[in-house]
Amino acid sequence: EVQLVESGGGLVQPGASLKLSCVASGFTFSDYWMSWVRQTPGKTMEWIGDIKYDGSYTNYAPSLKNRFTISRDNAKSTLYLQMSNVRSEDTATYYCTRTGRAPFDYWGQGVMVTVSS
Amino acid sequence: QIMLTQQAESLWISPGERVSITCRASQSLLYTDGKHYLSWYQQRPGQTTKALIYHASVRTDGVPTRFIGSGSGTEFTLSIEHVQPEDFAIYYCLQTLKSPWTFGGGTKLELK
């Protein structure tokens, strides 16, 4: 069974940094592109970025590429999202997703990030 | 970037009815390979978000046949025949033709 489990969220102050993790199981992690998607409290979905199966290529939403970095450790079957200089508008639930035959064919349960002083 | 519009924020229906959810793109989602890069997702409370349809009309593994994706160019529809109680959820469309990938605003199916 495919499972994606995110962690690392919480309450963070504006301007701080935060690193989210996503541990994958139930499939060969190193064979798949992975992505991060976030959902605002108002339920708007926003794609953050993708990373190629071997980590050699990343693609980001233009509005986030200067502050967010996606990486992966295939030996640990783990996907990461490094967030820097966070703002109140980054308050959202962050989802780790896999792309198979369909884009974002599996999703994690999500991890909440709240940016507030 | 390509904008996706789901006109209906909410649709009220009764179990057993048929419902159609529409998604309109700001430009054609047809690629040179003949496929439309439009997908549909279901989000239910307490469940992980589920991919239903990709390439506009292809069901993902295990998705019931009552879910039907159709459309072309800029107009797409997700139809659910004989709506079941577990189908009351939020549905999103997504385009992956041109980066940045973008989602529609979502349509919530609510019990009439």
Side-chain angles (χ1 to χ4, degrees):
Chain A
E1 179 193 7
V2 172
Q3 283 202 310
L4 301 169
V5 180
E6 303 95 339
S7 62
L11 177 63
V12 60
Q13 292 197 332
S17 295
L18 190 67
K19 190 171 187 176
L20 306 182
S21 300
C22 168
V23 176
S25 61
F27 65 101
T28 304
F29 182 71
S30 57
D31 284 349
Y32 290 85
W33 287 66
M34 300 293 294
S35 305
W36 287 96
V37 173
R38 68 183 183 182
Q39 185 174 34
T40 67
K43 299 299 187 183
T44 298
M45 287 281 200
E46 182 180 20
W47 168 73
I48 296 170
D50 305 322
I51 186 166
K52 193 176 179 180
Y53 46 81
D54 61 0
S56 64
Y57 174 78
T58 51
N59 181 31
Y60 296 96
S63 61
L64 299 174
K65 69 179 298 182
N66 292 331
R67 298 189 298 118
F68 287 15
T69 302
I70 298 173
S71 60
R72 64 192 296 162
D73 184 338
N74 284 347
K76 295 182 178 179
S77 296
T78 301
L79 179 72
Y80 301 101
L81 177 65
Q82 177 72 52
M83 306 166 61
S84 62
N85 190 24
V86 296
R87 308 165 179 167
S88 59
E89 54 263 39
D90 295 323
T91 293
T93 298
Y94 287 74
Y95 295 99
C96 164
T97 72
R98 186 190 87 165
T99 288
R101 280 184 293 175
F104 312 158
D105 63 350
Y106 284 94
W107 297 56
Q109 287 277 11
V111 61
M112 288 186 62
V113 173
T114 302
V115 182
S116 175
S117 55
Chain B
Q1 66 182 38
I2 297 176
M3 305 294 292
L4 295 183
T5 301
Q6 293 180 244
Q7 203 72 33
E9 290 188 12
S10 295
L11 292 170
W12 283 265
I13 58 169
S14 299
E17 290 183 343
R18 185 180 191 273
V19 65
S20 292
I21 300 168
T22 60
C23 176
R24 178 177 294 121
S26 58
Q27 65 184 80
S28 174
L29 299 184
L30 177 64
Y31 189 53
T32 54
D33 61 3
K35 298 174 182 174
H36 289 87
Y37 283 73
L38 188 284
S39 307
W40 289 97
Y41 299 83
Q42 178 193 61
Q43 189 177 58
R44 295 167 58 192
Q47 307 284 320
T48 58
T49 301
K50 183 178 181 181
L52 298 174
I53 301 283
Y54 64 102
H55 292 157
S57 62
V58 181
R59 275 185 293 274
T60 60
D61 292 346
V63 171
T65 56
R66 65 179 182 273
F67 291 91
I68 302 166
S70 62
S72 63
T74 62
E75 301 277 339
F76 300 90
T77 301
L78 174 68
S79 298
I80 311 173
E81 297 188 334
H82 307 298
V83 169
Q84 301 297 302
E86 62 267 29
D87 300 337
F88 290 92
I90 304 175
Y91 293 86
Y92 294 91
C93 54
L94 163 75
Q95 70 81 21
T96 52
L97 177 72
K98 186 183 295 185
S99 182
W101 322 136
T102 47
F103 288 88
T107 297
K108 186 175 184 179
L109 286 193
E110 302 199 70
L111 184 62
K112 189 190 296 181

